[in-house]
């Protein structure tokens, strides 16, 4: 997620619609929202577009988070499996599952990737 995705209502709707479209096409998605300058929760907008159960949403005031979505069929009905983690400034970033195909998942290690990127860019 970038600040421009959270900037205006139209941009937020477009981001949520694009994410929902990927899921409806069977594409798994992992979001990480570390944008602290805008207090909108795009995961909740995606959940609302998908007409998911209310417990799929994060608290409205949770502005930074990560979420992983896996489209699947159960009893020939499309469903979305969901993993979500609230984030906190200064806390380690979580590892999230990303489905490649069927039941093949890879771990997306956000914290180690972030730290390695910072080291390579000589930010730390």
């Amino acid at each position: 997620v970038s600040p421009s995705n959270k900037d205006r209502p139209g941009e937020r709707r477009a981001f949520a619609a694009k994410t929902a479209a990927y899921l409806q096409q069977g594409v798994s998605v992992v979001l990480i929202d570390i944008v602290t300058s805008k207090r909108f929760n795009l995961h909740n907008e995606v959940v609302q577009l998908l007409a998911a159960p209310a417990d799929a949403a994060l608290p409205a005031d949770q502005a930074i988070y990560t979420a992983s979505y896996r489209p699947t069929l159960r009893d020939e009905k499309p469903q979305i499996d969901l993993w979500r983690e609230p984030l906190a400034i200064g806390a380690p970033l979580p590892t999230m599952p990303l489905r490649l195909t069927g039941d093949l998942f890879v771990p997306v290690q956000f914290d180690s990737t972030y730290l390695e990127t910072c080291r390579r860019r000589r930010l730390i």
Side-chain angles (χ1 to χ4, degrees), residues 19-92:
T19 302
Y22 283 135
L23 295 169
Q24 290 168 343
Q25 294 170 27
V27 177
S28 295
V29 175
V30 176
L31 297 181
I32 185 165
D33 185 348
I34 57 171
V35 176
T36 59
S37 60
K38 307 285 182 181
R39 303 292 301 172
F40 298 101
N41 186 306
L42 295 175
H43 163 74
N44 288 351
E45 296 213 17
V46 171
V47 165
Q48 187 176 28
L49 261 181
L50 295 172
D55 65 348
L58 288 163
D61 63 346
Q62 184 68 50
I64 58 173
Y65 57 88
T66 184
S68 181
Y69 310 84
R70 174 181 82 157
T72 189
L73 287 174
R74 289 195 183 87
D75 299 324
E76 300 193 30
K77 294 180 186 173
Q79 295 184 354
I80 305 291
D81 290 339
L82 169 65
W83 299 264
R84 61 199 186 290
E85 291 286 334
L87 302 178
I89 294 173

Side-chain angles (χ1 to χ4, degrees), residues 3-17 42 45:
S4 65
N5 297 132
K6 296 171 91 172
D7 193 34
R8 295 182 305 277
E11 298 298 322
R12 294 189 293 272
R13 278 191 303 273
F15 182 90
L42 295 175
E45 296 213 17

